[in-house]
Amino acid sequence: MEKKIAVYICTGCGIGDALDMEKLTEVVNEEGSAAICKTHGNLCGQEGLELIKKDMADEGVNTIVVAACSPRVLYDVFDFENCIVDRVNLREQVVWSHKPGDEDTQMMAEDYVRMGLAKANAMELPEPFKPEQEFSRDILVVGGGLTGMTAALEAAKAGASVVLVEKEPELGGFQKKVKQIATFPYKDLQDNPLDELIKAVTENEKIKVYTGAQVEKTVGGPGVFQVTIRQNGSSAEHAIGAIVMAAGWVPYDPEKLDDRLGFGASPNVITNTMFEDNYTGAKVTRPSDGKEVNNVAFLQCAGQRDPEHLPYCSTVCCVTALKQALQIKGQNPDANVFVVYKEMRTLGQAEDLYRKAQETGIIFIRSQDPEVKAEGDKLAVETLDEVLGESVLLEDLDMVVLATGMVPATAFGPDVAQEEKEAEGEEKKEEEELEVPLDVIRRSNILNLDYRQGPEPPALKYDFPDSHFICFPYETRRTGIYAAGCVRRPMGIASVKEDAAGAVMKAIQCIELTSRGAAVHPRAGDLTYPEFEMKRCTQCKRCTVECPFGAINEDEEANPLPQPTRCRRCGVCMGACPERIISFKNYSVPIIGDMIKSIEVPEEDEEKPRILVLACENDAYPALDMAGINRMTYNAWIRVIPLRCLGSMNLVWIADTLSRGIDGVLLLGCQHGDDYQCHFIKGSELADIRLSKVSETLDRLALESERVRFETVSIIDYPKLPALLDEFAATIDEIGPNPFKGW
Amino acid sequence: MSTKVNPNLMRELEEFGLKDANKCFHCGNCTAICPLSTEENPFPRKLVKYAQLGLEEKILQSAEPWLCYYCGDCSDRCPRGADPGETMMVMRRFLTSKYDWTGFARRFYTSETFEIIAVAIVGILVGLALWIFHADNPNMEHAALNSVWPAPAIEIGDLIMAAILTFFLLSNTWRCVKFVMGDLLKKVPLEIYATEAKELIIHFITQKRFGECTDRMQWIVHLLIMTGYSTAFLLVAVFLAGGIELVGLAWEPIRFQRDVIYPFFHPMRIFGYYATFAILYGTTYALIGRIKKSKAPYKSTHGTDWMFLILLQLTTLTGIFIHFCRLLDWAMATYVIYVIHLMFAIPMLVLEVPFSKWAHLAYRPVVIYLTRVKEKYYEMQKGTA
Ligand code: SF4
Ligand code: SF4
Ligand code: SF4
Ligand code: SF4
């Protein structure tokens, strides 16, 4: 496509007052690549847009630079079909955050316009990815418990065809054996309506159910999954669009509990799930002799919220204990029922059930470490009542029920990373490379993905296959695979239903976007995707290892086999590739390189240092905008380039920057580590690791290491940004000018 | 040593009027809000927990129920509607019955029928006795009570009644002391007991702890009833005896209940009027409050509470009638009302004072006193250690 570039500079929102528009237009004209340069008082208004459209129609303009407000606003307004558009942020990051009419402010605006032009010159119009295989819109639900069945029905209701795979011979999962449930509105116990659900699922024509079956293999990616299901020795193949993973949970193994909880010391010490197994709706009896129970103690948090066992709260066992205690009280109102708890976690309206339990006379004792005393058939619990500060004794108990917790089905099986380490043996250790810590991926035999990084979605914490609890609910770190229900996090019935519906909605979204060649969350709608110039690939495996979403497979010769429908367009592979062969149509190593090169570097004696800021587009860049919106001012030596993710930062940019005489580089990314904020999970961490290798470059150029710095910024940190930028500028000023200036 | 949990105690306490204690989820708001709770003696949450866990021994040793004056602040602030103030009240009933060795108090508290019948029987006995033992030739011209029931006879009756009452009350109070002090009883040196005795008297007279509560009206009402009652009690039990000619203790100017009509400003009359006004005002306020359930302490009313107020009010009202009948010199009316008056007053004194709500008149100051004694003792221990 022959480019015809036009630059439109808006003079509204204070831009025209703060900057010398004539000089700015001159910059465009001098630079020479743009055929048209116009200013307008209100570019986003009807008239402004007409102006652009008219040039497109009459003059054949097909590449536009809009120098106006932040690209984060009005993106839907400055959207022209079949036209390359780049936005130059003159408003939030220039005139709203710097002194009006100032020389430095003017220079800043001019540089940004040059950078915009450089980008417009280098980028291309994206062409959406169209897979070769036939596209499927069917949804696979793995797990036929309450979550899975709810998900299947929700998907069917939304018009999708569903394949439901359950490993047990019957549908129902854990809930199958549960007689009564305690759920919204928590006024009373309810009969479990599960059988109706099973019926609805089995009778639904859009749902194909496999029971006693397993997913043997999952190949491909969203829209083009090929799933092999094994049932009774035979296999079936299905083309699948997206997957809901509802594999559920298993109870924590009570054998592992501390001895003081008494499991195994008496048959009358049981767990909450054993209670469910035994409860038939008839009388609750003592396991040892079948006598009706009269005195029962429930011990909460058995091996839960305990770093030695399950460090987390399973959230349902408090309500379950209330339910079971009420069941005992229901059969015998004179029964003595005790609940020994750390904290009663009855969230939301579940508090009503707690009230009800109290009113029936169930006795609650707050205590951290109850001890079960079993001697012969005598059973007692001794515990320090925290409220009284006194030790109390519950005697003559018929039964003790331990509240054990939920372990996700993904927590079992060997960890792939460990396996690899063992296989590699000693030799690898010597290298002592600064490696990205590998994800925990267990062979839990749920999806059996044919992915290079491992057969299941990676775990985030405690073996739950989550990606980011708050920002991206339902999302695993594998595109098109959505976790729901207790495999995602421990939850009760009410949340499970919501979860099932939510995950299905994400699956449908994914199918829809993928069918248009667009990315899913967090770059939803992005039509670009990474393209590999395979001729120059050295099979170094950096991209296949570092891709946070496992989107790239490998052939036998270690050639990367990208699967674009699995890709989230973060650009981490692009940052990782030492050969720089991975690029997007509008985002590549050369494009950013050109932008850096277009920055004018004043001579040393002008005493105007330059600082390049590479800012994560998701948090740091919006934070800079926020600073501008709040009219906070900061140093005008900086030039900001937004990155899709800091993980897409290629070290060559740092080398380029410094060898051009720019005095410092500041990387602004999200927090990483345990409480990471990175939208692409490991991007900022990878950037930080890569940066640790930059010292070689700096040494080679004989530059001070303080010239390059990494800072974590979240969007709410914007009030601190100006100080941070000013301080870095001061440091750079102190170090003195980059000796490469003018080379 | 761990204390054994006994869930059955809650059921027992229910008989004493416990209703909502099982709703408590131990937040401690009540203890935080209670104006009288202290670090050394925190309540009422502790007592609510004792009730829930059935720690009877702990309850028996507790002084806290008597430190509470039932202002109701805690019940107002309880987020669970567990009515901790009422639990404290129940504790007082429970303790009263535990202190009482005769078992009467327990029957009173746990059976309204028993209470009514007991009061009725004593009342009828009193009526019969007055009917039988009256003088042969009463003065029907003028209202002269001593002509019907000669002063010495009344005095003897009064003495007998006072003896019974004192015996039960003192023996029960002694048990209270033993429960509250436990092992400490003998360990604490006598001088501490002696120096703290002052507190006992001050508290009794001023009810000053109650004054620390936020609702001053409760304190005023309580003070009125208490002082009114005490005044009347003194008039009857002491000054009536002031005329005890039998043992030569007569002191003419302050005889109570003689056929002489004192001048208006005579102290006996002033005291009498004060007692009448105070009791009448206090009980009427409390009765109306309880009927309307106007504030937390009046929300749940036990049978004994009604009995207490009703007997007190009837005694006072009949007392007023006697007074007027005498002033009007209506002989027959005076005598009849006098009989009725005693039929209310005597059961109230012999039954309510040692066995029911009135007993707190003794227990509360004594326990406050003992609490002080204990505190002083511990301070001393700390000092020497
Ligand atoms: S729900 Fe209750 S018992 Fe279960 S882990 Fe949480 S706090 Fe403990
Ligand atoms: S690293 Fe990011 S851009 Fe590259 S393949 Fe993976 S998901 Fe796509
Ligand atoms: S305020 Fe109510 S719930 Fe809280 S501790 Fe007191 S009685 Fe219990
Ligand atoms: S009624 Fe008043 S004095 Fe008694 S415990 Fe409650 S707040 Fe304290």
Side-chain angles (χ1 to χ4, degrees), chain A residues 334 336 338 341 351 354-355 358-359 361 363-365 382 385 387-388 390-395, chain B residues 1-5 7-8 10-11 22-26 45-46 49-50 52-53 55 58 79-80:
Chain A
D334 288 332
N336 298 318
F338 308 93
Y341 65 96
E351 190 74 3
Y354 183 11
R355 284 202 184 89
Q358 286 186 302
E359 274 160 34
I363 295 170
F364 291 83
I365 301 175
E382 189 171 17
D385 184 312
V387 176
L388 287 179
E390 278 169 42
S391 179
V392 295
L393 189 65
L394 313 173
E395 277 188 323
Chain B
M1 241 309 280
S2 296
T3 327
K4 280 174 203 167
V5 170
N8 295 316
M10 279 290 258
R11 281 161 219 157
N22 54 8
K23 293 182 184 163
C24 162
F25 67 172
H26 321 135
R45 177 176 75 172
K46 187 163 83 179
K49 278 242 53 166
Y50 285 167
Q52 287 185 340
L53 298 183
L55 307 184
K58 299 266 174 200
R80 272 288 218 236

Side-chain angles (χ1 to χ4, degrees), chain A residues 5 71 183 195 306 396 406 425 497 510 604 630 636 724 728 739:
Chain A
I5 303 179
T183 188
D195 287 339
D306 175 350
D396 298 324
M406 289 180 160
K497 290 186 186 159
C510 169
E604 197 181 314
N630 288 287
L724 190 144
F728 186 66

Side-chain angles (χ1 to χ4, degrees), chain A residues 528-548:
Chain A
T528 65
Y529 60 94
E531 292 167 74
F532 291 62
E533 209 190 314
M534 284 306 296
K535 292 190 298 280
R536 284 174 23 221
C537 173
T538 58
Q539 291 82 30
C540 72
K541 300 191 189 181
R542 289 315 326 149
C543 59
T544 59
V545 171
E546 289 187 22
C547 171

Side-chain angles (χ1 to χ4, degrees), chain B residues 39-191:
Chain B
E39 221 168 283
E40 298 79 39
N41 295 298
F43 62 92
R45 177 176 75 172
K46 187 163 83 179
L47 274 295
V48 179
K49 278 242 53 166
Y50 285 167
Q52 287 185 340
L53 298 183
L55 307 184
E56 192 174 335
E57 282 300 305
K58 299 266 174 200
I59 296 173
L60 279 183
Q61 293 157 11
S62 298
E64 288 85 353
W66 302 112
L67 306 183
C68 157
Y69 282 78
Y70 209 169
C71 61
D73 283 0
C74 54
S75 296
D76 282 340
R77 297 300 173 93
C78 170
R80 272 288 218 236
D83 210 348
E86 187 58 22
T87 299
M88 296 301 278
M89 185 69 225
V90 168
M91 290 295 168
R92 289 190 285 277
R93 292 183 196 129
F94 180 68
L95 286 176
T96 305
S97 84
K98 285 283 166 186
Y99 297 157
D100 173 36
W101 55 271
T102 63
F104 253 108
R106 185 182 184 85
R107 301 295 308 267
F108 262 37
Y109 276 123
T110 53
S111 161
E112 268 175 46
T113 335
F114 182 87
E115 188 184 15
I116 293 170
I117 292 177
V119 168
I121 288 178
V122 176
I124 290 168
L125 283 179
V126 169
L128 279 178
L130 288 172
W131 179 254
I132 296 168
F133 300 110
H134 68 78
D136 293 337
N137 49 352
N139 185 346
M140 298 308 281
E141 312 277 292
H142 296 285
L145 280 168
N146 291 139
S147 75
V148 193
W149 298 283
I154 291 288
E155 279 155 15
I156 292 170
D158 188 43
L159 277 180
I160 294 172
M161 184 188 75
I164 297 175
L165 192 150
T166 314
F167 169 69
F168 284 122
L169 194 60
L170 283 183
S171 56
N172 285 348
T173 308
W174 175 239
R175 278 167 59 85
C176 159
V177 172
K178 281 202 297 188
F179 281 132
V180 172
M181 292 303 281
D183 294 341
L184 280 184
L185 185 61
K186 294 204 189 94
K187 280 195 210 147
V188 178
L190 269 179
E191 59 181 280

Side-chain angles (χ1 to χ4, degrees), chain A residues 167 251 370 389 416 471 673:
Chain A
K167 66 178 188 314
V416 176
C471 296

